[in-house]
Amino acid sequence: MGATELHVLSKTPYNAEPPLTELVKHPITPRHLVYKRNHSDTIDLKSTADTYTVRIDGNFDGLEQKAITYPDILNRFPRKEVVAALVCAGNRRATMAAKTGREVKGIKWGDGAASNVCWAGAGLRDILLAAGLPDNGGSYEGYHVCFASYVAPCEDDEYYGGSIPLTDAMSEEGDAILAYEMNGELLTPGHGFPLRVVVPGTYGMRWVKWVDRITISKEESPNFYQQRDYKVLPDNVTSKVMAESEGWWSRVPSMQLLACNSAVTDVRRSFSACPDEIRIKARGYAYSYCPISRVEISVDNGKTWEEAKIIYQEGQRSWTLWEAELELILDDEAETNGVVVIEEDTNGRVKRKMTVLSRAVDSSGNEQELDCKWNLRGVGYAGAGGRSVEV
């Protein structure tokens, strides 16, 4: 586990996230701080790794049904490395519930279901080409790559599965891989040893662990987790019964690309020689399906924004780490403008606090919104990041 324990949100299946202040100390997330998300028991396949096989099949001209072993993938294909953010679709779900005052269906993740890892493995494009898929991008439209893991029964289906568009899988810029390493070491059982899918720029539920079958299809994966979960339902859909009876699951697209998002992970007041002046240090992370171009912070509920300093960003797929320092005068104007909020506790003691908000803008021009609508499953929350500090 490492020196820092994860905060366990459920024991069976095991789901846990790291402390935020520890998480953002590291540009590349150490393995013991990478969140754990499971829909089944953790499977240890180390004793059978030498015979572990991924079956490739499907309906596409030229594609042959093949079985590729784990040693084949290690030895036959060029090693490909990519630094990419792994993010749960339910990241910040607890914030959605708190901000909207409405219950959400799912594990109450804080802001810690995100990480940044150096992955290594065989290129998915290379593997599919070796299986006979023609190198002809114009013919990929309308097809999907379905990933499946049959090694463990899941909570809601007999196996775990998900899919992405074939055009994304075959993109030379897409960096999709079958990974066997994270941060220079073999995957652990909890992170999908011996092989897991890595699709940079998409949410983590498409990064199927213990993958043992890849199918090219005209249809998305039929699996529960593609068809009846991980979709942003309209806010008028208030129950799973309603979603099923009114056919909402089939009317809403499956989530794929990461939304532009940021979080404030740590806010601290630092020393100031002037009693009426406060100095605030804030830091956090940001991510999107493309690089973050800037992060801004606000201490007046979004009326004005100042640009934060980006302190880490690597390649096209990593997360972004940022930090900012502010100096404010603690006076009546600050309280009048809502920069400082006065609260009184049950013992009559007065407390003053301020909240630092964050918003990100990515290189495609997407700007993180201040608010994010509620949805039943609490997925894809991308409202402004925020954290308070007593002043």
Side-chain angles (χ1 to χ4, degrees):
M1 181 68 72
T4 303
E5 294 291 330
L6 300 184
H7 173 51
V8 178
L9 299 171
S10 72
K11 293 183 178 180
T12 307
Y14 182 68
N15 292 285
E17 65 181 320
L20 288 177
T21 52
E22 291 297 315
L23 179 62
V24 296
K25 287 180 179 178
H26 310 277
I28 299 293
T29 311
R31 291 200 306 182
H32 72 277
L33 288 177
V34 177
Y35 74 95
K36 301 287 183 65
R37 177 64 175 120
N38 294 289
H39 288 284
S40 68
D41 292 336
T42 298
I43 306 300
D44 190 341
L45 300 171
K46 288 183 178 179
S47 63
T48 59
D50 287 345
T51 58
Y52 189 86
T53 300
V54 180
R55 186 173 66 168
I56 301 174
D57 58 17
N59 183 17
F60 198 101
D61 288 343
L63 183 70
E64 303 173 16
Q65 182 168 314
K66 289 215 172 189
I68 301 179
T69 67
Y70 173 59
D72 284 340
I73 291 173
L74 287 174
N75 300 318
R76 284 181 49 198
F77 295 92
R79 183 178 183 275
K80 189 171 185 176
E81 193 172 280
V82 58
V83 175
L86 171 64
V87 182
C88 178
N91 189 40
R92 308 188 66 210
R93 180 182 279 138
T95 303
M96 176 184 285
K99 289 288 187 180
T100 62
R102 300 176 67 178
E103 183 63 21
V104 291
K105 302 295 183 183
I107 293 171
K108 301 303 186 291
W109 294 101
D111 295 349
S115 57
N116 192 56
V117 174
C118 181
W119 307 95
L124 180 59
R125 172 184 164 84
D126 294 338
I127 291 171
L128 293 177
L129 289 175
L133 196 71
D135 191 3
N136 180 7
S139 64
Y140 301 149
E141 291 294 335
Y143 283 86
H144 304 268
V145 186
C146 304
F147 309 110
S149 174
Y150 288 89
V151 298
C154 288
E155 297 166 295
D156 299 290
D157 210 326
E158 295 180 354
Y159 70 100
Y160 186 86
S163 61
I164 63 172
L166 181 58
T167 51
D168 294 347
M170 296 301 291
S171 169
E172 295 187 61
E173 294 78 33
D175 292 327
I177 62 175
L178 290 193
Y180 44 74
E181 288 182 9
M182 58 188 300
N183 296 344
E185 299 181 88
L186 291 179
L187 296 171
T188 63
H191 289 296
F193 179 88
L195 295 169
R196 77 173 299 163
V197 178
V198 168
V199 190
T202 66
Y203 285 102
M205 70 281 190
R206 307 296 172 229
W207 299 29
V208 176
K209 295 187 287 189
W210 313 301
V211 61
D212 54 16
R213 186 175 180 182
I214 299 174
T215 302
I216 307 301
S217 173
K218 288 287 286 184
E219 306 294 333
E220 284 188 336
S221 168
N223 189 263
F224 176 91
Y225 298 101
Q226 183 84 25
Q227 298 298 329
R228 298 187 303 283
D229 198 358
Y230 295 118
K231 294 186 177 185
V232 180
L233 300 174
D235 60 0
N236 62 299
V237 180
T238 57
S239 70
K240 289 188 176 181
V241 172
M242 182 179 177
E244 292 282 357
S245 63
E246 297 185 6
W248 279 107
W249 293 118
S250 61
R251 295 160 63 180
V252 175
S254 300
M255 297 175 68
Q256 293 284 359
L257 297 179
L258 292 174
C260 186
N261 207 344
S262 72
V264 182
T265 59
D266 189 23
V267 180
R268 297 181 182 182
R269 180 178 177 179
S270 58
F271 174 77
S272 174
C274 177
D276 292 332
E277 180 184 79
I278 56 174
R279 293 183 180 180
I280 297 295
K281 292 184 177 181
R283 59 180 175 170
Y285 65 72
Y287 56 78
S288 185
Y289 69 90
C290 58
I292 296 295
S293 58
R294 70 179 187 275
V295 178
E296 300 171 330
I297 62 169
S298 173
V299 293
D300 56 8
N301 298 313
K303 296 174 186 175
T304 60
W305 295 88
E306 294 186 28
E307 190 162 348
K309 180 182 179 182
I310 290 178
I311 58 174
Y312 168 79
Q313 195 174 57
E314 184 172 352
Q316 297 294 303
R317 306 294 181 176
S318 80
W319 71 3
T320 295
L321 297 182
W322 58 267
E323 63 181 22
E325 290 192 39
L326 296 171
E327 293 185 0
L328 298 170
I329 301 300
L330 190 62
D331 57 13
D332 292 341
E333 183 179 353
E335 295 177 1
T336 302
N337 293 334
V339 174
V340 175
V341 178
I342 299 176
E343 292 183 347
E344 188 172 310
D345 65 17
T346 55
N347 296 318
R349 291 174 297 191
V350 173
K351 293 183 178 181
R352 289 175 171 82
K353 70 173 186 177
M354 62 175 291
T355 298
V356 178
L357 300 180
S358 69
R359 70 178 181 189
V361 180
D362 68 26
S363 59
S364 292
N366 301 299
E367 183 177 291
Q368 184 180 0
E369 298 182 358
L370 281 179
D371 298 308
C372 184
K373 283 187 177 181
W374 176 92
N375 65 79
L376 179 66
R377 286 286 285 113
V379 290
Y381 182 79
R387 195 159 297 273
S388 298
V389 62
E390 288 189 14
V391 296

